[in-house]
Amino acid sequence: MAVKVCKFGGTSMADGTVMNQVKKIIEGDKDRRYIVVSAPGKRYSGDIKITDVLYECHKEVKESGSCGAAFALIRNRFTSIIKELNIDFDINAVLDETEARINAEKSEDFTASRGEYLSARVMAEVLGAKFVDAEDVVFFDENGAYDAARSDRAINEALRGVDKAVFPGFYGKDVHGKVKTFSRGGSDISGAIVARAVNASVYENWTDVSGFLACDPHIVGSPRRIKALSYKELRELSYMGANVLHSESIFPVRKANIPIHIKNTFRPEDEGTLILPSIYYKPSGSIVTGIAGKKHFTVIFIEKSLMNSQIGFVRKVLSVLEEHNIPVEHIPSGIDTMSVVIESAALQDGKLGLVLSDIKAAVAPDTLRVTEDIALIATVGHGMSSSVGTSARLFKAMADAKINVKMIDQGSSELNIIVGVNDDDCDKCIAAIYREFFG
Ligand code: ASP
């Protein structure tokens, strides 16, 4: 029998009415057997996410020893969810025990994880399904990385003979036996971990949008929806800021060639977006799949005559950055020039000055120049490698919109063209490229 793993995001857990809608979705397909949930999210704009309240709880514990005031908000939210659901579940007992454990553990990760814990407890009750605590089945290794082999074993063990189960997303347990969370938005990763462990036929990721759009709808009004894209395209787009899905979440399922289906809890009849491993991916016929941009980069430009013949030049420059523990995003290069593109946040607190003087000492460049406030815009699509004139169209669109190109980097896979522009030109540039390729 095919097994579908479904992850429901924060807005799908926001109140009792939506949770009933989730129940309907799950019961509408008997293959939807294993469910991973986020903490309750916002019910309306201006509302506060439960996870954010929990971070407040932790602050309160640190300052005063216990989390009474902030925890009252959590209590209110969950008691009203139970009322709306009209189920017979002693949520107060679970809340009491949770509050006591938050006060006793005094751990930020533990506290933050309780939103997922509580919504999974409730959802298991709603579905009459087994609750499987992520603390018992998702493990991190001694380096803090997710331990796939150990987690796979534990998940399968917990699910033996179980028809339906609900897991809390976002956390697991470290080698010291303590609860540890993934980064924010990490329930997507938990969903992928469960999908991989049970070798799911599909990983359904239920959100509040009907899939991936070809670009940010705040920039272009109703952009086209992407019906299907490959894992590689997703990686490029989400890394660049298209944030429907946590960008690390693809790794567990990608390895196992499991497709991801993005669906909308509030419009379950919408087709959504399929993210496919290369073995299933068929080009859609369109040249560009999507466009995404990210602001606040710094470009360090280095020029030195005969750079190309100086063995080890690039390595010396990169060693400086490595010594300062600074991640490098791109390295566009010419014969006598190279640029290093870095997220500006990594160069704060005087680090930029230190890096520049170390580069000078290491390679004595003829020119060393810094440009700040650069946005990177990635135009992504498998269709680009086989179609002639794509970059010409892209740069003409930018020129027509009077946007100055500061940097160009075509990925070696020909899957993307990345351009650097001033931060202020970012949205205009995305809109111009979108109009060129999508009309
Ligand atoms: N609740 C967590 C967060 O707000 C994790 C998640 O929703 O995926 O980041």
Side-chain angles (χ1 to χ4, degrees):
M1 184 160 82
V3 174
K4 294 181 178 173
V5 168
C6 305
K7 181 255 162 177
F8 288 87
T11 44
S12 307
M13 291 292 121
D15 60 31
T17 315
V18 204
M19 283 185 170
N20 271 328
Q21 166 70 5
V22 168
K23 178 179 188 212
K24 231 163 94 191
I25 290 170
I26 294 165
E27 290 177 349
D29 182 344
K30 62 176 184 359
D31 293 342
R32 292 187 176 127
R33 290 177 49 202
Y34 304 133
I35 318 299
V36 177
V37 295
S38 278
K42 294 184 181 181
R43 292 159 290 185
Y44 43 85
S45 87
D47 194 14
I48 177 158
K49 284 171 124 186
I50 286 294
T51 310
D52 292 328
V53 182
L54 287 163
Y55 281 112
E56 289 304 315
C57 284
H58 178 65
K59 272 196 210 145
E60 212 181 305
V61 171
K62 257 192 353 198
E63 282 157 17
S64 71
S66 68
C67 66
F71 197 80
L73 289 173
I74 307 280
R75 197 175 280 278
N76 278 346
R77 185 78 176 267
F78 277 96
T79 41
S80 71
I81 285 176
I82 295 299
K83 249 196 224 128
E84 285 157 354
L85 288 167
N86 195 18
I87 53 171
D88 187 18
F89 179 49
D90 188 0
I91 190 72
N92 274 315
V94 183
L95 288 163
D96 290 345
E97 176 207 314
T98 302
E99 185 177 353
R101 215 175 142 196
I102 287 177
N103 290 337
E105 298 237 354
K106 302 196 186 324
S107 135
E108 183 171 55
D109 280 22
F110 177 78
T111 307
S113 73
R114 292 306 90 182
E116 273 66 14
Y117 171 79
L118 291 166
S119 57
R121 289 290 305 265
V122 173
M123 219 41 228
E125 218 43 50
V126 168
L127 294 169
K130 177 178 177 185
F131 166 77
V132 179
D133 199 341
E135 192 179 342
D136 302 327
V137 294
V138 173
F139 296 107
F140 294 93
D141 65 17
E142 58 281 2
N143 302 315
Y146 141 69
D147 183 338
R150 195 172 164 212
S151 309
D152 279 0
R153 254 183 281 123
I155 291 169
N156 281 300
E157 182 66 30
L159 292 179
R160 189 167 304 145
V162 173
D163 179 47
K164 268 201 170 55
V166 181
F167 298 75
F170 192 39
Y171 68 91
K173 192 149 77 182
D174 69 13
V175 282
H176 309 293
K178 292 281 174 204
V179 163
K180 176 177 156 60
T181 59
F182 291 103
S183 57
R184 292 299 303 266
S187 299
D188 282 339
I189 308 177
S190 311
I193 288 172
V194 176
R196 185 198 119 114
V198 303
N199 199 15
S201 58
V202 62
Y203 168 29
E204 289 185 345
N205 192 288
W206 291 82
T207 68
D208 54 2
V209 292
S210 294
F212 257 92
L213 298 173
C215 78
D216 183 341
H218 299 103
I219 299 176
V220 171
S222 355
R224 199 179 297 178
R225 189 177 52 76
I226 304 174
K227 281 193 180 165
L229 75 166
S230 73
Y231 275 121
K232 283 187 188 154
E233 290 172 321
L234 169 76
R235 170 80 180 128
E236 300 281 342
L237 288 169
S238 49
Y239 164 76
M240 288 298 288
N243 54 7
V244 175
L245 206 60
H246 194 291
S247 73
E248 287 165 31
S249 65
I250 60 172
F251 291 114
V253 277
R254 180 175 181 166
K255 257 196 160 163
N257 284 329
I258 296 169
I260 305 174
H261 197 175
I262 311 273
K263 294 278 288 173
N264 187 347
T265 302
F266 303 88
R267 295 175 59 95
E269 62 290 348
D270 284 1
E271 228 179 293
T273 295
L274 264 174
I275 300 153
L276 297 167
S278 16
I279 52 164
Y280 303 126
Y281 181 76
K282 281 194 207 75
S284 63
S286 67
I287 299 173
V288 169
T289 302
I291 307 150
K294 211 170 168 185
K295 292 181 183 167
H296 312 308
F297 287 92
T298 297
V299 180
I300 301 177
F301 171 82
I302 304 160
E303 185 173 32
K304 172 125 180 153
S305 301
L306 304 176
M307 183 191 285
N308 66 328
S309 59
Q310 298 198 10
I311 310 280
F313 189 96
V314 176
R315 178 185 53 74
K316 285 180 198 157
V317 172
L318 295 183
S319 300
V320 169
L321 293 157
E322 188 176 348
E323 275 154 26
H324 288 278
N325 202 18
I326 293 172
V328 171
E329 307 299 322
H330 296 275
I331 319 170
S333 64
I335 298 171
D336 288 337
T337 61
M338 70 179 283
S339 298
V340 189
V341 183
I342 297 161
E343 277 201 75
S344 304
L347 294 167
Q348 300 300 302
D349 306 324
K351 264 198 178 171
L352 176 61
L354 294 175
V355 164
L356 294 179
S357 60
D358 286 358
I359 291 178
K360 267 188 210 149
V363 294
D366 300 336
T367 312
L368 184 63
R369 199 172 54 231
V370 175
T371 317
E372 292 178 277
D373 303 321
I374 291 293
L376 297 184
I377 291 154
T379 304
V380 176
H382 286 291
M384 297 198 311
S385 63
S386 54
S387 90
V388 178
T390 308
S391 32
R393 284 176 65 187
L394 188 143
F395 292 114
K396 167 132 191 350
M398 288 177 66
D400 290 347
K402 309 227 170 338
I403 295 164
N404 187 9
V405 183
K406 298 274 196 178
M407 188 204 91
I408 302 169
D409 190 4
Q410 176 160 27
S412 31
S413 58
E414 282 190 70
L415 177 66
N416 62 18
I417 298 173
I418 293 176
V419 290
V421 302
N422 284 328
D423 273 350
D424 292 344
D425 283 336
C426 181
D427 292 1
K428 199 162 86 173
C429 183
I430 291 174
I433 299 172
Y434 180 85
R435 272 196 305 277
E436 173 61 33
F437 290 99
F438 295 93

